[in-house]
Amino acid sequence: MLVTSKEMMSKAFDGKYAIGAFNINNMEIIQAVTRAAKDTASPVILQVSRSALQYAGPGYLRKMVEAAIEETGVDCALHLDHGPDFATAKLCIENGFTSVMFDGSHFDYDENITKTKEVVEYAHARGVVVEAELGKLAGVEDEVSVDAANATYTDPDQAVDFVSRTGVDSLAIAIGTSHGAYKFKGEAKLDFARLELITSKLEAAGFNKYPIVLHGASSVDPASVKLCNEYGGKIDGASGIPAEMLRKAASMAVCKINMDTDIRLAMTAAIRRHFGEKPSSFDPRGYLGDARAYIQNLVKNKIETVLGSAQAQN
Ligand code: G3H
Ligand code: 13P
Ligand code: ZN
């Protein structure tokens, strides 16, 4: 069923695992992710960025997701990722999305609160849940100073104030992850102490089992990068969040883990390999079919070995 992520996240909190939130842009990605969720009997969040909305159109995405749910029977939330404004959130809600993110992290604090609240009021009145973001997911240098971290990472006291003043259902925080394939110059470092503090302060304020969201959480799968490079690509110095760190976050209050880069790399790796091995191929079902199978395998692996949400449906 197309469901909200509320129940999924609350079960994930109790079960010390996380729900995978995978970015979707076309039919093959939707099929791959939902089939992997079926293979593992796991709920899943399919998320759509503003550029994905522009690329595919909300109606196409919604109908393809409905078809995928019909085929697989998985519990699936359809979520707007990094919603830039009220109008985009409204458009998605009108198109049947069950969850929206309003990303006001680049606004100043009070403006982020005002704009988030507006989306929360509209969404809640229509049975839709809202994720918001506090803190900035910048690319993190190796030697991030304590001052720099304090300036960009989520402030625990502000997180409590933000959640109580906006009524938002989940909060994306900055603790050292970042978007894209080039996340770190050196070793990955996540500020787990800050995550712990955010959760304990939320609990002390009466927000028990409050779901936290981790963006920028691709591992930048080395096998996909290697394949891309073996077959003519040039992806140098890419690195992501190690699986153990994601597992640790999932065992804490992180209930939703966002991954897009790993899907992009997987799709590109499979297509590059296809043409490398079959230079005379030109049937799109051949290379897109290979990409779909590769992504399905990657997502299945993530669910089983990183997220821990396998067998968690219903
Ligand atoms: O966090 C952003 C996602 O990776 C979506 O990227 O805007 O290029 O679709 P996109
Ligand atoms: P990655 O770039 O690490 O895949 O993060 C995706 C994301 O946070 C989408 O919102
Ligand atoms: Zn993100």
Side-chain angles (χ1 to χ4, degrees):
M1 276 171 61
L2 199 54
V3 292
T4 75
S5 47
K6 196 135 192 128
E7 208 190 349
M8 289 180 191
M9 297 239 235
S10 116
K11 285 185 182 166
F13 196 107
D14 287 336
K16 296 186 177 302
Y17 60 86
I19 310 291
F22 299 97
N23 285 73
I24 56 167
N25 294 284
N26 63 14
M27 182 189 77
E28 285 75 12
I29 298 175
I30 294 170
Q31 289 175 330
V33 174
T34 51
R35 287 174 187 177
K38 183 183 181 197
D39 291 344
T40 51
S42 169
V44 76
I45 298 171
L46 301 179
Q47 57 185 15
V48 176
S49 69
R50 171 168 52 175
S51 10
L53 281 175
Q54 284 160 354
Y55 177 74
Y60 273 94
L61 291 166
R62 159 84 194 271
K63 298 276 184 202
M64 286 193 288
V65 167
E66 280 175 357
I69 293 170
E70 239 169 71
E71 179 195 273
T72 58
V74 297
D75 278 350
C76 205
L78 181 56
H79 172 77
L80 167 65
D81 187 30
H82 294 284
D85 48 35
F86 179 82
T88 310
K90 184 169 178 282
L91 173 76
C92 289
I93 292 167
E94 284 166 355
N95 275 280
F97 282 46
T98 54
S99 172
V100 292
M101 176 189 190
F102 172 70
D103 180 0
S105 58
H106 50 287
F107 293 117
D108 71 36
Y109 182 63
D110 286 326
E111 206 172 348
N112 190 359
I113 289 186
T114 310
K115 289 185 186 314
T116 300
K117 227 172 134 189
E118 194 189 359
V119 174
V120 169
E121 277 161 17
Y122 183 84
H124 282 182
R126 288 154 184 82
V128 170
V129 295
V130 182
E131 171 186 329
E133 180 163 324
L134 192 61
K136 290 187 178 61
L137 263 74
V140 177
E141 304 291 304
D142 191 16
E143 300 302 330
V144 62
S145 70
V146 175
D147 282 352
N150 277 332
T152 52
Y153 289 5
T154 307
D155 177 79
D157 289 308
Q158 240 181 23
V160 176
D161 185 60
F162 187 87
V163 167
S164 41
R165 284 170 64 190
T166 57
V168 77
D169 301 279
S170 61
L171 187 68
I173 59 164
I175 54 165
T177 60
S178 72
H179 290 109
Y182 304 95
K183 299 189 193 297
F184 310 103
K185 285 242 169 76
E187 290 287 291
K189 271 191 221 127
L190 296 193
D191 191 344
F192 288 109
R194 187 176 296 262
L195 169 59
E196 187 70 59
L197 195 57
I198 290 170
T199 301
S200 61
K201 286 192 181 250
L202 280 165
E203 266 170 22
F207 295 101
N208 283 325
K209 302 181 179 182
Y210 192 84
I212 298 297
V213 179
L214 205 58
H215 282 246
S218 278
S219 293
V220 187
D221 177 42
S224 302
V225 173
K226 188 163 172 274
L227 264 187
C228 284
N229 289 338
E230 262 171 36
Y231 287 99
K234 193 166 174 3
I235 299 173
D236 296 328
S239 72
I241 317 289
E244 320 79 76
M245 288 193 181
L246 297 174
R247 276 198 295 271
K248 181 169 177 182
S251 75
M252 298 170 72
V254 169
C255 297
K256 172 175 179 270
I257 292 188
N258 283 17
M259 286 164 280
D260 184 15
T261 299
D262 276 338
I263 296 201
R264 296 176 181 206
L265 287 168
M267 182 146 207
T268 307
I271 291 173
R272 279 195 178 280
R273 181 171 61 185
H274 178 98
F275 287 121
E277 288 175 353
K278 301 173 186 153
S280 58
S281 158
F282 60 90
D283 182 341
R285 292 166 298 190
Y287 53 88
L288 293 175
D290 280 3
R292 181 174 60 187
Y294 192 105
I295 296 168
Q296 182 174 343
N297 192 45
L298 175 105
V299 172
K300 187 167 178 267
N301 217 290
K302 294 260 188 205
I303 290 173
E304 286 172 341
T305 64
V306 180
L307 299 159
S309 60
Q311 314 301 328
Q313 183 153 1
N314 298 316

